[in-house]
Amino acid sequence: MSLKVWFDGQLVDKEKAIVSVYDHGLLYGDGVFEGIRAYSGRVFELDAHVRRLFDCAKAIRLNCPYSPEQIKAAINETVSANGFTDCYIRPVISRGPGDLGIDPRKAPRPLTFIIADQIVMYPKEMYEKGIAVVTSSWTRNLINATSTRIKSLNYLNNIMAKQEAGDAGAHDALVLNHLGHVSELSAANVFTVRDGVITTPPLIDGCLEGVTRNAIMKLAGKAGIRCVEQSISRFDVYVADEFFATGTGVEVIPITQVDQRQIGAGQAGPITRRLVEAFHNHVREG
Ligand code: PMP
């Protein structure tokens, strides 16, 4: 049986979910998207993800023809139509098909679609051993250029960093902003651990307001672990006791090598382990 994609209001076979070559999402990267997971038959933080999707759409003046409530229902419908209990979900709102030229008024009706599928990130052992990252030579977009708060179809800055990391034999890239402050990885937030305190860069340093980031900050608070939002430099990362990344795709993963420096003991540290466990319990709570 073919995978079903929710395509502008209808569930269609994956093969029939086809976008026009005139779609401004494809031609100009004009659109927004989300990455969401379902665990044990329940979509994790559905409200937060749909809120971010609509906030991002508002920021680029993209009027989705569906309401947030309709999109939430469509997400649930897509997951169940495919019989998934655990999956990755990708809603996209593109500016839609239109005449050539970047003016959004040329594309009168945005195109909305939702994919539910499996996603392969890292093999299981990396969650124990940790991943290696290198600092990217690509600076994070300025927040007053293409705002890093917007999860837009313009992911080239992130893709170039990821590609560079692969070329260097690393798993991902540590991306800095124009001031040299750590922003995040190519598509995940980061946290350092030092003397029992966890620190994550503030949004103004060029990172996305990650749903997983927010969940980890809450879970840390519940576990009595102090968590601060504060600018960090590469030096702070090099001398951290532990370093880890968070995101819907990677979930919570230790980072044990940065620019050829070993972080901590070179494997998942005690606070990272506690938070990984708390996170996995949390996502499956009813
Ligand atoms: N930063 C960027 C640039 C991302 O694309 C993502 C993935 N959405 C994240 C951080 C992590 O955010 P979340 O936890 O909401 O998936």
Side-chain angles (χ1 to χ4, degrees), residues 35 49 52 140 151 155 158 184 186-189 208-213 246-248:
H49 281 287
R52 186 171 66 187
R140 182 48 96 225
K151 210 166 157 54
Y155 250 46
N158 313 60
E184 54 184 348
S186 64
N189 294 106
L208 187 76
E209 185 177 0
V211 171
T212 322
R213 172 186 184 271
T246 67
T248 299

Side-chain angles (χ1 to χ4, degrees), residues 1-252:
M1 204 186 79
S2 186
L3 207 83
K4 299 276 184 232
V5 174
W6 191 93
F7 193 82
D8 202 8
Q10 279 181 355
L11 285 167
V12 301
D13 288 347
K14 175 182 169 180
E15 295 73 22
K16 296 210 170 106
I18 294 167
V19 176
S20 162
V21 293
Y22 284 88
D23 194 290
H24 281 210
L26 174 64
L27 289 174
Y28 308 117
D30 188 354
V32 294
F33 74 105
E34 263 305 315
I36 314 176
R37 272 187 193 267
Y39 296 95
S40 309
R42 192 174 62 101
V43 179
F44 179 62
E45 292 285 3
L46 181 58
D47 289 355
H49 281 287
V50 171
R51 184 177 188 198
R52 186 171 66 187
L53 181 70
F54 277 79
D55 284 350
C56 292
K58 183 176 184 189
I60 66 164
R61 296 175 59 198
L62 174 62
N63 297 318
C64 180
Y66 303 95
S67 69
E69 289 313 314
Q70 285 173 311
I71 293 299
K72 283 183 217 171
I75 288 170
N76 282 320
E77 191 189 347
T78 313
V79 172
S80 45
N82 288 291
F84 290 134
T85 53
D86 290 60
C87 65
Y88 185 83
I89 307 152
R90 163 61 38 82
V92 177
I93 312 171
S94 160
R95 189 73 66 180
D99 293 338
L100 296 176
I102 65 167
D103 190 337
R105 287 173 296 190
K106 292 178 176 221
R109 189 170 193 276
L111 172 70
T112 311
F113 59 87
I114 303 162
I115 303 168
D117 205 341
Q118 301 302 323
I119 191 166
V120 180
M121 299 300 290
Y122 294 110
K124 215 166 176 228
E125 64 266 21
M126 302 313 296
Y127 288 81
E128 184 54 41
K129 265 177 63 185
I131 58 167
V133 305
V134 286
T135 302
S136 177
S137 66
W138 298 106
T139 300
R140 182 48 96 225
N141 285 331
L142 291 170
I143 57 157
N144 201 32
T146 303
S147 171
T148 48
R149 298 286 299 279
I150 304 174
K151 210 166 157 54
S152 80
L153 297 180
N154 280 268
Y155 250 46
L156 269 187
N157 181 254
N158 313 60
I159 291 165
M160 306 269 274
K162 183 76 179 179
Q163 203 171 36
E164 188 179 27
D167 291 345
H171 299 97
D172 208 336
L174 185 66
V175 184
L176 312 180
N177 71 8
H178 64 293
L179 298 170
H181 299 167
V182 170
S183 295
E184 54 184 348
L185 299 190
S186 64
N189 294 106
V190 291
F191 290 78
T192 57
V193 182
R194 171 107 164 164
D195 297 334
V197 177
I198 69 173
T199 306
T200 195
L203 305 179
I204 201 79
D205 279 345
C207 57
L208 187 76
E209 185 177 0
V211 171
T212 322
R213 172 186 184 271
N214 287 347
I216 286 296
M217 288 168 83
K218 270 198 208 136
L219 291 170
K222 273 195 197 158
I225 303 166
R226 200 172 148 231
C227 179
V228 291
E229 273 181 280
Q230 195 174 285
S231 294
I232 55 175
S233 67
R234 265 204 277 185
F235 181 84
D236 296 311
V237 173
Y238 293 159
V239 301
D241 300 327
E242 301 174 37
F243 189 39
F244 63 90
T246 67
T248 299
V250 293
E251 301 172 295
V252 185

